[in-house]
Amino acid sequence: MLIPLLKAKITTKPFILSHLLTQRCNLDCPYCLWKDNKANELSLEQIKTIHTDAAKTGFKAVFLWGGEPFLRKDLLEIVQYDKKLGWRVTIATNGCFVRKDALPYIDEMLISLDVASSKQDQIVKGKNVFKKVQEAITLTKKHNPACKIRLCAVLSQHNKKDLRELANFAQAQGCTLVPQHIDSNPNYPNDCDLSQKERDEVIEELQTLKREGLPLASSWAYLDQFKSPTKTFQCRSQRVYFTVWPDGAVRSCMTREKIANALTTPIKTILRSPNYQAFLCKSKNCARCRDAGTLETTMAHNLQLEPLLNTIKNFG
């Protein structure tokens, strides 16, 4: 992680392909900004074309997410191909459809879990979701013991009193816990978000859990980022990640405006294009996102020592 990160900082070229494989999902999480069961998707061969181009451009890893990536029947072929490219493969999933045949090709799995009980089913509006998450963890450990499993919990009104139980569950399962703040979007007001007072209380609880040795993968810097008074930051995540949408589009993460399409335009050309460079200039002044991935990546890219070491330890 350190060497590619330093190279990205020097060359200003990203090294992780972030591919939103599908926007289809079987659940209905109240804080999700991505679900769209009617969105167009690339074929397997089109995905291979883009991933091959990314590998030739110098990308070293891929982050596959959705929606729910395991809803794609060709996911096995995708992860097999990505491993042949020599990539580190990370996948984000809700845990409902994890398949043992794909597991040997996955290096890291992020499983959404807000509470360690059947209450999870009510939050995400699904059936037997918590049970399926438990089965997914067991299946992964059996068929790929080396795969790192992160349980990703979105902090909200639904789980503000359940964090210790969740951290204890993560520890018992041999996983790490990644708490995430709800991403803010003025177009999607969220009534399950925390007030600043509630956020401060939750952060203090998480800091206590981390001090007690429970397996929180978050850096101290991230946990402290949103305590009152809130701190600002300048996003650098797009210097590490290059994001492709299900139809191959490359879009502004701030406005979702289309910049190019990776299926018809080489990634190297997109990276050098005036439109993409203008997007990078705007994104570096953005501080809207509150998720761990954006903040931890930004702090690591800025070579802040504690979050950098934490990233190498937990996500490298």
Side-chain angles (χ1 to χ4, degrees):
M1 178 69 173
L2 180 58
I3 293 176
L5 187 63
L6 291 173
K7 186 175 181 180
K9 190 172 181 65
I10 294 170
T11 65
T12 69
K13 294 180 181 178
F15 65 92
I16 301 176
L17 177 66
S18 173
H19 197 161
L20 177 57
L21 283 179
T22 178
Q23 290 181 261
R24 288 180 289 133
C25 189
N26 59 304
L27 301 180
D28 195 17
C29 301
Y31 41 72
C32 181
L33 302 177
W34 303 101
K35 181 179 177 178
D36 182 352
N37 286 335
K38 296 181 180 180
N40 293 329
E41 298 177 11
L42 298 171
S43 69
L44 174 61
E45 291 307 312
Q46 289 173 324
I47 289 172
K48 287 182 177 180
T49 296
I50 291 176
H51 289 201
T52 300
D53 181 37
K56 291 179 179 178
T57 306
F59 285 73
K60 302 298 182 184
V62 65
F63 176 49
L64 306 173
W65 58 295
E68 175 45 54
F70 278 97
L71 285 176
R72 286 198 61 121
K73 295 180 180 179
D74 55 7
L75 184 70
L76 171 60
E77 289 80 7
I78 294 172
V79 294
Q80 282 179 325
Y81 190 76
D82 287 345
K83 289 307 290 184
K84 287 180 181 178
L85 292 174
W87 281 353
R88 175 183 173 84
V89 177
T90 300
I91 190 164
T93 175
N94 61 36
C96 291
F97 305 105
V98 172
R99 294 162 39 191
K100 65 181 181 181
D101 58 354
L103 290 173
Y105 307 97
I106 298 172
D107 299 290
E108 182 178 21
M109 185 177 294
L110 309 180
I111 304 179
S112 299
L113 186 65
D114 295 331
V115 293
S117 71
S118 58
K119 182 181 173 183
Q120 176 75 6
D121 302 357
Q122 302 167 25
I123 296 173
V124 301
K125 299 179 176 61
K127 186 176 181 180
N128 296 324
V129 179
F130 177 56
K131 180 181 178 182
K132 290 174 183 177
V133 167
Q134 291 176 294
E135 292 171 350
I137 294 171
T138 300
L139 198 67
T140 303
K141 288 185 173 296
K142 179 179 179 180
H143 294 280
N144 187 357
C147 180
K148 294 183 177 181
I149 304 175
R150 319 288 182 207
L151 302 181
C152 295
V154 177
L155 304 172
S156 73
Q157 296 290 341
H158 298 295
N159 64 353
K160 61 184 180 181
K161 302 295 186 181
D162 301 291
L163 299 177
R164 180 173 289 276
E165 182 181 6
L166 184 58
N168 285 332
F169 175 79
Q171 185 176 58
Q173 296 293 320
C175 306
T176 55
L177 177 62
V178 183
Q180 309 232 49
H181 296 281
I182 292 177
D183 270 341
S184 60
N185 188 322
N187 297 320
Y188 301 90
N190 202 303
D191 59 6
C192 67
D193 202 356
L194 301 170
S195 68
Q196 187 59 58
K197 180 181 178 181
E198 291 170 322
R199 195 179 306 281
D200 291 348
E201 292 171 352
V202 163
I203 292 170
E204 287 176 7
E205 166 124 12
L206 291 170
Q207 290 173 327
T208 296
L209 296 175
K210 189 174 176 71
R211 278 192 294 270
E212 291 177 4
L214 287 162
L216 270 69
S218 304
S219 67
W220 290 104
Y222 177 72
L223 293 178
D224 193 52
Q225 177 69 33
F226 299 103
K227 287 188 73 173
S228 183
T230 56
K231 303 178 179 67
T232 187
F233 71 99
Q234 291 184 311
C235 181
R236 293 294 182 273
S237 65
Q238 300 307 306
R239 299 289 181 175
V240 176
Y241 291 94
F242 177 80
T243 302
V244 175
W245 283 57
D247 61 354
V250 177
R251 299 180 181 276
S252 165
C253 53
M254 299 172 291
T255 64
R256 299 196 176 186
E257 179 182 1
K258 184 177 177 181
I259 298 171
N261 191 295
L263 187 62
T264 56
T265 305
I267 292 176
K268 186 178 292 186
T269 301
I270 296 174
L271 291 174
R272 294 173 177 172
S273 69
N275 285 346
Y276 194 79
Q277 290 299 314
F279 155 64
L280 286 181
C281 287
K282 291 179 181 178
S283 71
K284 72 179 183 181
N285 293 316
C286 181
R288 190 177 72 192
C289 289
R290 300 189 292 194
D291 64 281
T294 297
L295 267 293
E296 298 280 15
T297 298
T298 292
M299 291 185 287
H301 185 272
N302 289 340
L303 303 184
Q304 290 178 238
L305 186 58
E306 187 264 328
L308 175 62
L309 294 176
N310 184 74
T311 296
I312 294 171
K313 174 185 175 183
N314 287 296
F315 304 99

